[in-house]
Amino acid sequence: EKLRATTAFSQRHLPGKPVWLTETGYDTDTSSVQRAQIYGPYSRVQVQGIWVLRTYLEAMRAGVSIVDVYNLIDEHHPEAGMFQSSGLATGEPDGMRPKQSWKIVSDFITALDDARLKADLSTPGLRLLYFEGSARKFLIAWLPAPGAAKLEMSGPGGKITVTEVPQFIELK
């Protein structure tokens, strides 16, 4: 809702100016107050990737033009703490290798391809975004609250189970 208020303000007072969301992300180190929480079957690094995706998607819903994740690589400060493990790749001492969260975000971006958000069909308990690209149309669905919640849906492609993890639903 804060993002929606920001984009509404911008449209009213700065028409034509894009809204950017910069330095968003989540730590994987347990000492950070900004850490991704382990839940369900997901590791802390998987949750980091899931939360980055959800941040991107919520920003799209709100009309944000650009979202930057902070940081590309972990900082690895000796005292750890906030923002030291928010990278999608390990830090220099660990070879700057992609974390599992990198793969989650990268796979999502690849799957989006050239598609653009065309409609927000969300309800308070379900996020449902409709996208169109040059070669396909699809929905992305997820539940806005983490945890064990699941929602069974039936559609043209059969039954699907929606959880907190954003998933693509191809439309024919």
Side-chain angles (χ1 to χ4, degrees):
E1 294 309 312
K2 289 179 183 179
L3 288 174
R4 286 182 185 273
T6 301
T7 56
F9 177 88
S10 176
Q11 290 167 358
R12 245 186 343 270
H13 301 288
L14 302 164
K17 299 292 183 188
V19 174
W20 290 25
L21 175 60
T22 62
E23 297 191 12
T24 183
Y26 308 94
D27 284 320
T28 54
D29 187 275
T30 58
S31 67
S32 173
V33 297
Q34 186 72 15
R35 69 187 171 274
Q37 299 291 333
I38 294 174
Y39 61 85
Y42 307 108
S43 71
R44 193 174 308 282
V45 176
Q46 288 171 313
V47 171
Q48 178 189 39
I50 292 165
W51 285 5
V52 166
L53 292 186
R54 289 164 53 118
T55 300
Y56 283 162
L57 290 164
E58 290 291 350
M60 283 182 195
R61 286 184 69 226
V64 172
S65 299
I66 294 177
V67 178
D68 292 329
V69 70
Y70 177 87
N71 191 0
L72 182 58
I73 63 169
D74 288 344
E75 294 294 326
H76 282 292
H77 188 273
E79 295 177 21
M82 194 160 57
F83 309 132
Q84 302 305 303
S85 62
S86 58
L88 297 179
T90 62
E92 286 184 65
D94 296 320
M96 297 188 294
R97 292 184 314 277
K99 294 181 186 177
Q100 194 169 10
S101 52
W102 174 295
K103 180 168 176 26
I104 290 169
V105 172
S106 176
D107 288 351
F108 171 80
I109 292 168
T110 299
L112 271 180
D113 193 27
D114 69 342
R116 299 281 183 226
L117 177 61
K118 295 295 184 179
D120 181 359
L121 309 169
S122 300
T123 65
L126 171 68
R127 297 294 187 260
L128 192 61
L129 304 180
Y130 173 67
F131 287 81
E132 286 185 12
S134 60
R136 63 193 185 121
K137 298 174 183 178
F138 56 91
L139 297 166
I140 297 180
W142 75 100
L143 300 178
K150 292 180 181 176
L151 174 66
E152 300 291 330
M153 291 177 56
S154 294
K159 283 189 170 186
I160 62 163
T161 302
V162 180
T163 66
E164 70 278 357
V165 179
Q167 61 181 298
F168 288 77
I169 304 164
E170 297 292 332
L171 301 173
K172 302 293 179 199

